[in-house]
Amino acid sequence: MAKKRRPQTKGPQTKAASPQAADGRIPVVGARESCPCGSGRRYKACHGRAAVQAATELVHRPFEGLPGEADWVALRELVPAATIELTLKGGLPEGVPSVTLATVLPMAWPALRRDNGAVLLGLQNDTASGDLSRDLADTLQRALEAEPGTPVPAGRAATDGPRLQDLLDPEGPFEPNVHTGFEFWVENAENATGDVAASLDRANAAAIPTARLSGVEAAYWCETPEKNHLRWVMTHPEEQLLDALARLHAAGTSSLGDGTRLVGSFRAHGLTVPVWDLPSDMRAEDTEKPAAAFAERLATALADTSPLTGDERRARSGLTSRQITLN
């Protein structure tokens, strides 16, 4: 039996009219929708292939190049309640009095446009692609255009859309403000009643008390029932930092004083986060001087490029075995 063949089209084939952007770019649509290029195929089998590939390629340091990269990582992964006023390139649009980065927003909204036009951008949200910076920039742009008094839903950023590095002023101030609770969610929180007050109480009860040290960069003290911790996000190259920590650990100088110890590290968004156990009576203010002294010891160890000794190699192996990747 002869095989069935698809009918051949005589003459050159032409694409149907399509809703391509004026600059020739193909709009992003649902995977099962017809591709906007006019090919007649589904988006996922046509131009969506490149979009899917781009979405799965992880950007390991999404906040690199932004002021306060280490604090971006801390607020994304470690800090329950904090805000930072952001500065946009070219200034704020008309009708937008401020743009504030927040660790988390009520109902896990990606962003919120307040009644007065101010924008809150949530940082601790799941994103659609492997480039957190691009996803956040897309949410920010949609928030700037949203109607006042409305939350901004999740969306999918174009694979060639802007990143935070394109929207934020690199010279702008970047000063994290760590809060004891989530009262920043609502205006006049002290007058909240009913469901709003109950929601705030539940959120506040779940938040781990946290404070940012003032003497060193991106170091966050936190209180837990059994012991306290210091989590310090560092931008040094990982291998160099682990070598330096191993030298200090082998020399017995990696702690922050009596009853403290370096217990391991996290790996988050391309940066390393050493973690210390602290006694339960060691408060954030008690950690300031020991942390500053450790920073000096670390700087000396980082400058040492000699091969590790046997004890230092064993210390390094112990540190890497206790390293946890958060993302």
Side-chain angles (χ1 to χ4, degrees):
M1 183 181 292
K3 293 183 179 179
K4 292 184 179 179
R5 297 180 180 178
R6 293 181 179 178
Q8 298 297 310
T9 303
K10 294 182 180 179
Q13 297 183 6
T14 58
K15 290 183 179 180
S18 62
Q20 295 186 28
D23 57 6
R25 290 181 295 182
I26 306 299
V28 176
V29 298
R32 292 181 173 274
E33 296 180 38
S34 297
C35 186
C37 75
S39 65
R41 290 181 291 174
R42 290 180 177 177
Y43 179 68
K44 68 177 182 179
C46 193
H47 283 85
R49 288 181 176 177
V52 170
Q53 181 179 2
T56 57
E57 291 179 354
L58 178 66
V59 175
H60 292 282
R61 288 184 66 173
F63 306 120
E64 186 175 16
L66 291 173
E69 178 189 6
D71 284 303
W72 278 90
V73 172
L75 268 61
R76 166 73 182 184
E77 300 295 338
L78 306 173
V79 181
T83 56
I84 300 176
E85 296 296 316
L86 299 180
T87 304
L88 305 186
K89 289 181 179 179
L92 295 168
E94 184 177 356
V96 180
S98 64
V99 174
T100 302
L101 180 72
T103 48
V104 66
L105 295 176
M107 306 297 293
W109 287 326
L112 173 66
R113 186 87 186 270
R114 289 195 187 279
D115 290 338
N116 66 354
V119 167
L120 291 177
L121 176 65
L123 183 56
Q124 296 179 10
N125 289 86
D126 293 334
T127 58
S129 79
D131 187 350
L132 182 56
S133 176
R134 196 181 309 279
D135 291 334
L136 287 168
D138 175 74
T139 301
L140 174 56
Q141 286 188 311
R142 291 187 291 114
L144 293 171
E145 298 173 356
E147 290 294 324
T150 59
V152 178
R156 177 166 43 179
T159 57
D160 57 352
R163 307 178 74 238
L164 288 174
Q165 289 82 346
D166 302 315
L167 302 183
L168 302 183
D169 184 352
E171 303 300 325
F174 193 82
E175 301 174 358
N177 183 12
V178 179
H179 302 278
T180 57
F182 296 93
E183 283 75 15
F184 63 86
W185 280 354
V186 295
E187 297 176 281
N188 301 318
E190 63 277 7
N191 298 324
T193 59
D195 291 343
V196 174
S199 178
L200 282 175
D201 288 343
R202 287 193 297 270
N204 291 344
I208 296 175
T210 301
R212 184 178 188 270
L213 301 192
S214 60
V216 294
E217 293 296 321
Y220 289 82
W221 169 95
C222 67
E223 179 182 18
T224 59
E226 295 184 358
K227 63 185 71 174
N228 299 337
H229 304 280
L230 183 71
R231 301 163 176 174
W232 192 341
V233 186
M234 298 183 176
T235 57
H236 308 294
E238 181 179 2
E239 296 302 313
Q240 182 185 1
L241 176 58
L242 289 174
D243 281 353
L245 292 174
R247 295 182 195 278
L248 296 176
H249 203 61
T253 58
S254 65
S255 75
L256 300 176
D258 293 342
T260 74
R261 67 188 184 103
L262 175 65
V263 293
S265 62
F266 297 128
R267 183 190 290 116
H269 303 293
L271 301 185
T272 304
V273 189
V275 178
W276 285 262
D277 279 351
L278 311 174
S280 58
D281 60 350
M282 189 171 184
R283 314 303 297 172
E285 56 271 20
D286 303 324
T287 314
E288 292 280 5
K289 287 184 178 180
F294 177 85
E296 295 181 1
R297 298 196 300 274
L298 179 63
T300 300
L302 286 166
D304 187 349
T305 58
S306 62
L308 296 180
T309 66
D311 287 344
E312 291 167 347
R313 288 196 301 272
R314 284 188 288 273
R316 193 185 195 282
S317 178
L319 289 172
T320 55
S321 69
R322 298 190 299 274
Q323 190 174 49
I324 299 172
T325 300
L326 297 180
N327 50 60

